[in-house]
Amino acid sequence: MSPRPPSGSSASDTAAIGREQARQRVIEAAVELLTRGGRDAVTTRAVAETAGLQPPAIYRLFGDKEGLLDAVAEHGFAAFLATKRVDPDPRDPVEDLRAGWDVAVGFGLANPALYTLMYSEPTRATSAAFKAGMEILMSRIRRLAAGGWLRVDEEVAAQVIHATARGAVLTWLSLPEHRRNPALLTTLRESMVAAVTNQRPSVQDAGPAGAARALRAALPEQQTTLSSAEQHLLREWLDRLAVGG
């Protein structure tokens, strides 16, 4: 006998719950196959069999195999997001940056097949979990800028940090095990730190560009001192100054 739906729920609610549970089973099955055998192991038939469903269910739930892979990648970004430790007021923003980089690289090394899938398609940057993770990174960068630590524009810093972490993981995974030297990861991390931060938090030494970056990062999101037009103009000036030094 089928279990009765919870009291007060409609048939449509029950169907939606069942559909979501089926989606999760399929995603977990795909992750299991991906981890064991790589992307080639994630066939529609194998996923359906592992999930205990018929192959047509995959198409009903995800549209096609690419839709399934997108869902698996989103699952990966959500799992990665769950590993991020957010300190709203770190004692040392540069060490906080190092720690965040280490977490990102550590996740990639622990989940090689999933990580490779997550970053194999540029369009996956639209993932909600990916965007949430990038916002955590941007918060770190804004703290660096506000304290006078940031030596490059915020957007450039984000690109350097993200590129070095992703490059570190993919390079490490491409090497045979006997050539995997931990010094590679340390060197890449410290090169990233040197590229985006000042040796000491001195806005004056960083010149007008550093001062502009610090002021831009320190501006509150909501304030009434300036009109919206004035706020727009100020941010435009600061953006131009921040990249001009």
Side-chain angles (χ1 to χ4, degrees), residues 83-158:
T83 69
K84 288 178 175 283
R85 182 184 64 83
V86 181
D87 185 346
D89 187 23
R91 178 178 299 179
D92 186 334
V94 178
E95 281 303 311
D96 186 57
L97 174 63
R98 283 191 176 93
W101 194 93
D102 285 344
V103 167
V105 171
F107 179 86
L109 299 185
N111 303 276
L114 180 58
Y115 188 91
T116 302
L117 174 67
M118 288 160 58
Y119 292 104
S120 63
E121 301 290 341
T123 54
R124 293 194 177 118
T126 61
S127 153
F130 176 87
K131 290 180 177 178
M134 286 301 293
E135 183 52 40
I136 291 174
L137 173 59
M138 293 308 298
S139 295
R140 284 192 167 102
I141 292 171
R142 283 191 289 270
R143 284 194 293 270
L144 288 166
W149 288 103
L150 197 64
R151 66 180 299 176
V152 296
D153 181 70
E154 291 179 20
E155 185 62 28
V156 172

Side-chain angles (χ1 to χ4, degrees), residues 219-226 231 235:
L219 288 174
E221 291 295 325
Q222 302 292 332
Q223 54 96 10
T224 58
T225 305
L226 301 176
Q231 291 178 51
R235 290 191 179 277

Side-chain angles (χ1 to χ4, degrees), residues 29-30 33 36 40-53 55 58:
L33 290 167
R36 290 205 318 249
D40 290 344
V42 187
T43 66
T44 303
R45 183 174 298 278
V47 171
E49 182 178 342
T50 304
L53 300 171
I58 306 296

Side-chain angles (χ1 to χ4, degrees), residues 174-197:
S174 73
L175 295 172
E177 288 195 20
H178 71 277
R179 292 185 58 199
R180 293 177 177 178
N181 187 338
L184 169 66
L185 305 180
T186 302
T187 301
L188 285 172
R189 184 192 64 197
E190 293 310 304
S191 296
M192 174 276 297
V193 171
V196 303
T197 67

